[in-house]
Amino acid sequence: MITPVMKSYIYMISSSILLLACQQDTKKIKTVYKFPKSLKEVSGITYSNDTKTLWTLEDSGNANKIYGLDSRGKISKEITISGTKNVDWEDLTKDKEGNLYIGDFGNNNNDRKDLCIYKLSKDKLSREHFKPEYTVKFYYPEQKNFPPSKNDLLYDVESFFEYKNNFYLFTKNRSKNFDGTTYLYRVPNKEGNFKAKLLGSFKAGKTFDTAAITSADISPNDSKVALLSHTRVFIFENFKADNFLSGKVKIFSLGHNSQKESIIFKDENSLLIADEKDKNTGGYLYSLDLREAKLESQP
């Protein structure tokens, strides 16, 4: 015989299972593997198809090295980038030929005058150490003060990719009156010191976790651009020329909040995402299928 107390207990268990199922349904981000304990501050990733290697690096305060990981997440390669200092390496990308690029442009305090990008030749990635092929230096012509006022902390960058011999950088807003705006800049992919060209802007949201942009990538066929925040992925399509932020945007909820720092396209519909280890959270590589992700409205 089922007593009223038993009925109440069964109801509570059933409700909990239903709630858990709903939560799992909205959480479409899936764990691929955990990063090695030695890599606590993964800030950028990219993938070499020919060697099936996931390349990664760490940010400010860590070694001037990149690391190659195998399909199980084990470090298979460790390369020292000679003649460089990891001031604040914030992202890693590649070109169509497979050359890698390190973005040393982290600028939390908006006071740096040594922003740069290092080119790493594909042909040297089997070595244990080598110097960059060349260095691309750049600056933002709109920035007049180093640092600017707290209301104009607009010049931190953690996101970039290479497209048709140019780099495209997306700013991370750190202003006191945060409004979620990210700016898109273009810098030539060649040795020299360049004025970054402002191309456009986008308001990603109202809170830091949902709208502070931490990584970016362009899809293999160049039809989509992905931006990452701690809790969302923004996908831009049908953009005009290289003003990617002019495109139609779809916003996907990850159902998951952590210090996400890296995003790359695995193919046209799936992404790989990495987060930094922070106390009891993070330190993983995840996958996201855009066909399964929860679609949100525009910000």
Side-chain angles (χ1 to χ4, degrees):
M1 178 178 178
I2 299 176
T3 67
V5 173
M6 292 173 65
K7 286 183 178 180
S8 177
Y9 182 74
I10 292 171
Y11 175 78
M12 290 173 62
I13 294 295
S14 300
S15 298
S16 298
I17 293 172
L18 180 61
L19 177 60
L20 178 60
C22 291
Q23 289 174 338
Q24 289 177 336
D25 185 56
T26 59
K27 184 180 175 181
K28 298 300 182 182
I29 190 170
K30 299 176 181 178
T31 302
V32 179
Y33 55 67
K34 187 174 184 178
F35 286 110
K37 290 183 179 180
S38 59
L39 299 178
K40 296 181 180 179
E41 296 184 297
V42 169
S43 61
I45 59 173
T46 194
Y47 187 74
S48 292
N49 290 300
D50 53 350
T51 60
K52 308 301 181 186
T53 301
L54 184 83
W55 293 100
T56 186
L57 48 71
E58 296 184 284
D59 57 15
S60 177
N62 290 286
N64 55 327
K65 294 182 178 183
I66 63 170
Y67 305 87
L69 278 63
D70 64 20
S71 61
R72 299 170 299 168
K74 305 298 183 183
I75 296 176
S76 59
K77 191 68 180 176
E78 184 174 322
I79 304 174
T80 298
I81 310 304
S82 306
T84 69
K85 180 182 179 180
N86 186 343
V87 179
D88 198 356
W89 292 6
E90 282 291 355
D91 209 358
L92 184 65
T93 194
K94 66 176 183 178
D95 59 25
K96 296 292 188 182
E97 288 71 45
N99 302 299
L100 305 188
Y101 299 89
I102 295 171
D104 190 353
F105 40 49
N107 195 15
N108 290 6
N109 298 323
N110 283 226
D111 58 356
R112 288 185 62 182
K113 295 183 179 181
D114 57 352
L115 306 172
C116 66
I117 296 165
Y118 298 115
K119 179 181 180 179
L120 310 182
S121 174
K122 173 186 176 182
D123 298 333
K124 297 180 180 179
L125 294 176
S126 61
R127 303 182 185 181
E128 293 184 358
H129 55 84
F130 61 86
K131 291 183 178 180
E133 197 73 10
Y134 56 74
T135 302
V136 182
K137 300 177 182 179
F138 66 94
Y139 62 96
Y140 308 107
E142 291 77 18
Q143 183 174 5
K144 307 302 180 184
N145 298 306
F146 298 82
S149 69
K150 291 183 179 180
N151 290 326
D152 294 305
L153 297 177
L154 306 172
Y155 303 102
D156 183 25
V157 168
E158 297 186 3
S159 319
F160 83 138
F161 56 78
E162 204 273 354
Y163 172 72
K164 293 186 176 180
N165 297 314
N166 287 293
F167 298 111
Y168 294 86
L169 291 73
F170 301 82
T171 63
K172 183 177 183 179
N173 195 322
R174 292 186 177 276
S175 297
K176 181 179 179 180
N177 297 319
F178 182 86
D179 67 356
T181 300
T182 183
Y183 293 96
L184 169 60
Y185 281 92
R186 182 179 65 211
V187 175
N189 180 3
K190 57 184 178 181
E191 188 167 18
N193 188 18
F194 302 99
K195 180 193 301 184
K197 173 68 175 178
L198 180 61
L199 299 180
S201 65
F202 171 71
K203 285 194 175 183
K206 297 180 180 179
T207 66
F208 193 83
D209 283 349
T210 61
I213 303 303
T214 60
S215 189
D217 196 25
I218 191 166
S219 64
N221 70 1
D222 303 328
S223 67
K224 300 175 184 175
V225 163
L227 300 186
L228 177 69
S229 73
H230 289 178
T231 62
R232 289 171 161 181
V233 171
F234 305 83
I235 301 294
F236 294 84
E237 299 178 273
N238 302 318
F239 30 77
K240 299 176 182 178
D242 60 353
N243 183 4
F244 306 109
L245 298 180
S246 69
K248 183 179 179 181
V249 62
K250 294 179 181 178
I251 303 170
F252 295 90
S253 171
L254 298 176
H256 183 279
N257 190 355
S258 64
Q259 192 174 334
K260 297 177 183 68
E261 294 283 337
S262 316
I263 190 168
I264 56 173
F265 277 95
K266 187 177 180 181
D267 55 48
E268 293 303 315
N269 291 305
S270 59
L271 298 156
L272 294 176
I273 295 169
D275 57 8
E276 285 191 14
K277 184 169 180 56
D278 181 23
K279 296 181 180 179
N280 296 321
T281 63
Y284 292 90
L285 180 72
Y286 309 93
S287 65
L288 176 71
D289 190 322
L290 294 175
R291 294 164 295 193
E292 297 177 357
K294 181 183 177 183
L295 181 65
E296 293 187 0
S297 60
Q298 292 193 26

